[in-house]
Amino acid sequence: MIKILILGGTSEASALASAVAKRGLPAIFSYAGRVNTPKPQPLPTRIGGFGGVNGLATFLVQERISHIVDATHPFAAQMSTSVVAAAAQSGVKAIAFTRPAWQTVNGDQWQSVASIDEAVSTLAGPPQRVLLAIGRMHLSAFAAQPQHHYVLRLVDRPTSPPPLPDVSTVIDRGPFTLEGDLALLQTQCIQRIVCKNAGGEGAASKLTAARTLGLPIVMIERPALPPRHEVHRIDDVFSWISDHT
Ligand code: 3Y8
Ligand code: NAP
């Protein structure tokens, strides 16, 4: 009996949820509960952590999950690591449905760094206007470079003052557009962008906008993840499900 758990939070997860719903396959969609009003999905949806590997393994057994599709963001490393461990522990089959990392093209001015902390240290130097397009969860690290004016793009309005002395915030959730990102970079007089190598289309417009305006990007590369079966196309997810039923 098929019952799929989709771990979501990306455009790819939403596209998969629609395809699963269209096929009438039993499934549960899962959010961590990071933002106030996550995008509604056409599947029964749960919100919140599972309680680590054991919590996830228990959930899989209790909900009689037959297949896990980890469609979380490439920076959701803890969740993806838990999936690999819980699948091994419970014997439930798991696959990762992700998008390839972005690659530089002619005209890009990227400085690739391995972590948030390395991104912070590359910002040493005279004050600039810096767009932090990395969300909310890692902003405090940038207090080590307080000389800049930071423009923060956040999904939800902050409930407390951001942990940086000189900021302005833009409240917006993607997927973003080239027109919108060009306007943001120009009206905010951005001189440098910090972002994660998320991949996909939903946040790629800032890369094109930066290239058009000749702006440098500090690109935070993806964290390492445990070995796992990974696909980038919805059809490959469905082939995997039918091959493992
Ligand atoms: C809660 C659920 C869809 C999914 C849309 C994608 C695209 C728009 C681009 C910038 C970069 C950033 C951030 C971003 C993008 C999509 C996708 C994507 C980046 C939502 C969503 C949830 C989250 C969580 C949120 C994080 C934050 C990261 C903002 C929904 C809208 C910066 C990642 O306030 C917070 O705590 C926000 C937390 C994790 C990273 C961070 O550290 O702050 N995503 N984003 C998910 C959950 O609860 O499980 O409402 O759709 C989903 C999307 N965000 O179906 O259309 O596919 O990636 N999300 C990054 O890439 O750097 C914005 O501003 O240019
Ligand atoms: P994370 O650091 O890897 O996960 C931390 C903990 O949050 C996990 O151990 C798990 O808690 C819980 N969790 C994460 N994703 C979950 C999900 N889809 N359903 C249920 N619980 C989940 O994850 P994150 O980076 O905070 O990302 C959280 C969510 O935002 C994910 O859905 C991710 O796809 C989405 N997102 C993240 C980013 C990003 O930049 N990190 C960007 C776009 C979207 P337990 O251990 O208790 O199970």
Side-chain angles (χ1 to χ4, degrees):
M1 174 68 183
I2 287 182
K3 187 175 181 182
I4 305 163
L5 171 64
I6 300 176
L7 297 169
T10 59
S11 314
E12 286 73 15
S14 298
L16 177 64
S18 302
V20 165
K22 270 200 197 93
R23 292 179 180 220
L25 292 172
I28 297 177
F29 193 93
S30 179
Y31 280 124
R34 280 272 181 282
V35 299
N36 292 341
T37 50
K39 180 179 184 174
Q41 297 293 342
L43 295 171
T45 299
R46 65 170 298 288
I47 297 183
F50 294 95
V53 174
N54 292 336
L56 177 55
T58 304
F59 178 87
L60 298 173
V61 172
Q62 280 175 349
E63 288 294 329
R64 294 190 172 75
I65 300 295
S66 60
H67 298 79
I68 313 169
V69 182
D70 176 2
T72 58
H73 190 274
F75 281 72
Q78 197 177 336
M79 186 72 255
S80 294
T81 304
S82 290
V83 168
V84 171
Q89 193 174 304
S90 62
V92 174
K93 295 169 276 301
I95 194 168
F97 173 45
T98 61
R99 59 271 177 119
W102 292 317
Q103 306 293 334
T104 54
V105 298
N106 274 348
D108 283 339
Q109 298 174 53
W110 291 8
Q111 193 174 356
S112 284
V113 294
S115 66
I116 297 266
D117 287 344
E118 205 182 314
V120 172
S121 43
T122 64
L123 294 182
Q128 286 189 302
R129 292 181 62 85
V130 178
L131 172 64
L132 285 188
I134 55 166
R136 174 183 61 90
M137 296 196 296
H138 302 285
L139 293 176
S140 47
F142 291 84
Q145 302 288 351
Q147 70 275 24
H148 300 302
H149 176 82
Y150 290 107
V151 175
L152 312 179
R153 177 146 71 178
L154 304 174
V155 175
D156 294 324
R157 189 159 299 289
T159 48
S160 54
L164 300 168
D166 183 5
V167 293
S168 47
T169 57
V170 171
I171 305 302
D172 197 358
R173 95 173 39 213
F176 302 105
T177 63
L178 176 57
E179 188 191 7
D181 280 357
L182 278 170
L184 174 69
L185 296 177
Q186 288 171 310
T187 53
Q188 295 283 351
C189 307
I190 297 299
Q191 296 167 282
R192 207 174 200 192
I193 298 162
V194 180
C195 69
K196 299 174 188 169
N197 197 326
E201 300 305 315
S205 46
K206 59 180 175 279
L207 311 182
T208 312
R211 191 182 314 128
T212 305
L213 300 173
L215 295 180
I217 293 180
V218 178
M219 181 62 74
I220 303 167
E221 295 307 338
R222 297 177 170 190
L225 293 175
R228 62 201 181 144
H229 185 188
E230 189 165 0
V231 295
H232 298 319
R233 297 171 57 250
I234 285 184
D235 287 351
D236 293 338
V237 175
F238 288 118
S239 309
W240 172 80
I241 289 172
S242 52
D243 293 346
H244 293 82
T245 298

